[in-house]
Amino acid sequence: DDTNEDLKYAYQDTSGWHIETVDSEENVGASTSLALDRSGYPHISYWGNYGLKYAYRDASGWHIETVDSEGDVHGPTSLALDGGGYPHISYYGGSLRYAYQDASGWHIETVDEPVGLGSVGLYSSLALDGDRYPHISYVDTRGQGDFLKYAYQDAYGWHAETVDITTDPWGTSLALDGNGCPHIGYRHSGLKYAHQDAYGWHFETVDSGGNVGLGISLALDWYGHPHISNYDASKLDLKYAHKDTYGWHVEIVDSGGYVGYYTSLALDGDGYPHISYYDWTNDDLKYAYQDASGWHIETVDSEGSVGAYTSLALDGGGYPHISYHTHYYPYYDLKYAYQDDSGWHIETVDTGLGLRGGHTSLALDGDGHPHISYFDSTNEDLKYAYQDGSGWHIETVDSEGDVGGHTSLALDGDGYPHISYKRCTHWTCEASDLKYACRDDSGWHIETVDSEGDVGSSTSLALDGDAYPHIGYRDITNEDLKYAYQDVSGWHIETVDSEENVGTSTSLALDRSGYPHISYWGNYGLKYAYQDASGWHIQTVDSEGGHTSLALDGDEYPHISYLDHTNHDLKYAYYRLTPYHVYLPVILKE
């Protein structure tokens, strides 16, 4: 009660709401935490009179105790009751402190102390495990950054670890699942969720739309699934998110140097991922695949500087085929690698003085022959190469101006190529159009799909069951993710995501119903958008994510390979069953 500086308590029963003043002794009641004992009596920890206080009620009324008044005791408190009904409290007192009561009285411990001028123990949240040992999430603020930390006690004493680096911390909330594993809701460029299991810590961005993640409170349901309430200060909304089953999973595939650039992902018949990518540290083309025994990583080509602009496809036997760009100055070539029972084979498809082989896109026809679209930047042309029984054939598809960047290729049921690409409309390529080319018996046909502003970069093309093209791409002018598709009535263009600088590194796939699914980079993270009968749905998968590649498995769940920009790692995210659901508003402030 700010008016009277009192601690108050409200409860509801069959007769309605009841309000009581618990403590009115000069400036009390801030940073409260409430727990009920087995008899339903309330116990409250709070800050007041420059100390940590504790109030509880029994049949005789309210009882108030000062627990700690030594030093700089203030800020949020967190209270839990053990099986015997004794209180345990985490709080800030110049350091992270922990107080608990037993038959002999109160005991106070310092759990974690600050480094330098920092503060440790802010925004703490406490839970007790089955053995009554405390577990605490909290924030450590230092000159070089803010850190989400986690401390727990066992028979050997206290253990503290850094879980994540945070920005603008505004609270943590901790709960333990049935196995005693911690789950933490916290703020870091939005609302985030971390949980630990036998394999380590796992992180997810739950909500990144607006100024969210304030006033977080986390609880686990019967199945151990998280439910999180939080405040969105940008919209003045109370929000609620919950997750069931498994959701998104993120794995680091390769972390040996600067790896994970120009990723391309395909799934085999058993749903296992295969990824081609560029190792920038060693200038190599690399290939990673997963099977029942785990991840396997191979260097495919290390002759010179090789491996940019990779594109991967699997043949009927599950063998990988990769198109990519290589350069041995002054030659910049288009190359092709494939694997069979005897190992890897590498071919140069297009070579010569100047730049060839940029922005490659590969598809295999019904006979397993490769088809590749690519950019010849020396001549500023869109080119197309394909192989048949007689060898390689190369065609110039479009040479009107500076064309052919950001290509994406798909083959229709008759084996004819369809290509989306970019045409620069300014001599410095500061403006561009989205274009589309397809071939049939009469030759190549070329269309301009979108010319509103600077559009057409990061294109990704897929064909539906009627061979109509669907394209995901970036609108640089408005920093939006856009989607274009064609049907019998012509081209249709939609803006999918316009929330501040999105749409680079797009990768598009269609599900069996013809609905688009797009992975992309935006708002400093990996994002995923999909459409169904109710419209578009957008999720943030990871706070890192560029050079994305998306594939759908047999159950139509998305799998994404991508680059972790901060750590320069190759990462892989996949999704099973239902993700987070975010509901808003629960309460709307006027």
Side-chain angles (χ1 to χ4, degrees):
D1 181 341
D2 287 338
T3 301
N4 299 301
E5 296 183 336
D6 294 343
L7 170 65
K8 301 186 84 170
Y9 167 66
Y11 67 97
Q12 188 185 51
D13 59 21
T14 54
S15 63
W17 281 99
H18 306 268
I19 299 175
E20 304 176 8
T21 297
V22 178
D23 189 351
S24 58
E25 187 183 348
E26 188 191 352
N27 193 17
V28 294
S31 305
T32 69
S33 182
L34 169 74
L36 300 180
D37 61 29
R38 292 177 178 176
S39 301
Y41 287 119
H43 298 244
I44 307 172
S45 62
Y46 59 103
W47 179 83
N49 300 322
Y50 311 102
L52 171 65
K53 300 190 77 175
Y54 165 66
Y56 68 97
R57 192 174 72 175
D58 58 21
S60 63
W62 282 99
H63 307 269
I64 298 173
E65 304 176 12
T66 297
V67 179
D68 189 358
S69 60
E70 294 294 325
D72 185 19
V73 178
H74 70 277
T77 73
S78 185
L79 168 74
L81 302 178
D82 62 29
Y86 287 115
H88 299 243
I89 307 171
S90 64
Y91 59 103
Y92 176 72
S95 58
L96 174 62
R97 293 189 191 178
Y98 163 65
Y100 69 96
Q101 190 185 57
D102 58 22
S104 63
W106 283 100
H107 307 269
I108 297 173
E109 303 177 9
T110 297
V111 178
D112 195 358
E113 296 187 291
V115 176
L117 299 177
S119 298
V120 174
L122 300 172
Y123 310 112
S124 75
S125 181
L126 169 75
L128 302 178
D129 61 28
D131 296 318
R132 302 185 184 181
Y133 284 120
H135 299 243
I136 307 171
S137 62
Y138 57 103
V139 172
D140 178 350
T141 63
R142 307 180 191 176
Q144 66 270 35
D146 300 324
F147 302 86
L148 170 68
K149 298 187 76 174
Y150 164 64
Y152 67 95
Q153 189 184 57
D154 58 21
Y156 302 99
W158 282 100
H159 310 269
E161 54 187 271
T162 296
V163 178
D164 196 4
I165 300 174
T166 68
T167 56
D168 299 325
W170 279 91
T172 74
S173 185
L174 169 76
L176 302 178
D177 60 29
N179 296 317
C181 294
H183 298 243
I184 306 173
Y186 63 106
R187 176 178 162 90
H188 173 44
S189 300
L191 174 63
K192 291 195 73 174
Y193 163 67
H195 73 279
Q196 190 184 56
D197 58 22
Y199 301 100
W201 285 99
H202 308 268
F203 302 90
E204 303 179 29
T205 298
V206 180
D207 190 358
S208 60
N211 188 13
V212 297
L214 304 172
I216 297 167
S217 183
L218 167 78
L220 302 179
D221 62 26
W222 178 264
Y223 299 101
H225 299 142
H227 299 243
I228 307 173
S229 64
N230 70 108
Y231 176 60
D232 182 342
S234 59
K235 298 180 179 178
L236 304 180
D237 290 342
L238 171 66
K239 301 180 79 172
Y240 163 67
H242 82 273
K243 188 177 97 168
D244 45 29
T245 60
Y246 299 104
W248 283 102
H249 302 261
V250 177
E251 303 176 12
I252 296 175
V253 179
D254 190 354
S255 59
Y258 284 52
V259 295
Y261 295 79
Y262 303 107
T263 76
S264 184
L265 168 73
L267 302 178
D268 62 29
D270 296 317
Y272 285 118
H274 299 243
I275 307 170
S276 62
Y277 59 104
Y278 176 49
D279 178 342
W280 195 345
T281 298
N282 299 298
D283 276 336
D284 292 342
L285 170 66
K286 298 185 80 173
Y287 164 66
Y289 68 96
Q290 189 185 57
D291 59 21
S293 64
W295 283 100
H296 308 269
I297 297 174
E298 303 176 12
T299 297
V300 178
D301 191 352
S302 60
E303 291 296 322
S305 179
V306 296
Y309 302 111
T310 79
S311 184
L312 169 74
L314 302 178
D315 61 28
Y319 286 115
H321 298 243
I322 307 170
S323 63
Y324 58 105
H325 175 69
T326 179
H327 69 265
Y328 316 84
Y329 182 82
Y331 297 95
Y332 296 78
D333 301 337
L334 169 66
K335 297 189 77 174
Y336 164 67
Y338 68 96
Q339 190 184 56
D340 58 22
D341 287 337
S342 62
W344 283 100
H345 307 270
I346 297 173
E347 303 175 10
T348 298
V349 179
D350 192 357
T351 186
L353 291 173
L355 302 173
R356 291 171 172 80
H359 302 271
T360 79
S361 184
L362 169 74
L364 301 178
D365 61 29
D367 297 319
H369 292 305
H371 299 243
I372 307 170
S373 63
Y374 61 102
F375 180 42
D376 179 344
S377 58
T378 296
N379 300 298
E380 298 180 342
D381 293 342
L382 170 65
K383 298 183 80 172
Y384 164 67
Y386 67 96
Q387 190 186 62
D388 57 22
S390 63
W392 282 100
H393 308 269
I394 297 174
E395 303 176 10
T396 297
V397 178
D398 191 352
S399 59
E400 292 294 323
D402 184 355
V403 294
H406 301 261
T407 78
S408 183
L409 168 74
L411 302 178
D412 61 30
D414 296 318
Y416 287 118
H418 300 242
I419 307 171
S420 62
Y421 59 103
K422 168 182 168 179
R423 176 183 182 270
C424 295
T425 58
H426 187 274
W427 69 274
T428 61
C429 211
E430 293 177 353
S432 58
D433 295 340
L434 172 65
K435 298 196 74 175
Y436 163 69
C438 64
R439 194 174 73 173
D440 57 22
D441 289 336
S442 63
W444 284 100
H445 307 271
I446 297 173
E447 303 177 33
T448 297
V449 179
D450 190 356
S451 59
E452 294 294 323
D454 185 4
V455 294
S457 64
S458 297
T459 80
S460 184
L461 168 74
L463 303 178
D464 62 28
D466 296 316
Y468 284 118
H470 298 242
I471 307 170
Y473 61 103
R474 174 169 161 80
D475 177 343
I476 295 176
T477 300
N478 298 299
E479 297 184 335
D480 293 343
L481 170 67
K482 297 184 79 173
Y483 164 64
Y485 68 97
Q486 189 185 56
D487 59 22
V488 291
S489 63
W491 283 99
H492 307 268
I493 297 173
E494 303 176 11
T495 297
V496 178
D497 190 351
S498 58
E499 189 178 349
E500 187 191 353
N501 195 17
V502 295
T504 59
S505 301
T506 69
S507 183
L508 175 131
L510 301 178
D511 61 31
R512 286 189 290 272
S513 300
Y515 286 118
H517 300 243
I518 307 173
S519 64
Y520 58 104
W521 183 89
N523 300 322
Y524 312 104
L526 171 65
K527 300 189 78 174
Y528 165 67
Y530 69 96
Q531 190 185 57
D532 58 22
S534 64
W536 283 99
H537 308 269
I538 298 173
Q539 301 173 357
T540 297
V541 180
D542 193 353
S543 58
E544 300 290 343
H547 297 259
T548 80
S549 184
L550 167 74
L552 303 179
D553 63 26
D555 296 318
E556 302 193 325
Y557 292 121
H559 299 241
I560 306 172
S561 62
Y562 60 103
L563 169 70
D564 180 330
H565 281 294
T566 299
N567 299 298
H568 308 287
D569 295 339
L570 170 65
K571 297 181 81 173
Y572 165 65
Y574 65 96
Y575 172 89
R576 298 296 298 178
L577 301 176
T578 308
Y580 279 102
H581 303 278
V582 178
Y583 300 95
L584 74 150
V586 178
I587 296 174
L588 177 63
K589 291 188 176 182
E590 296 294 339

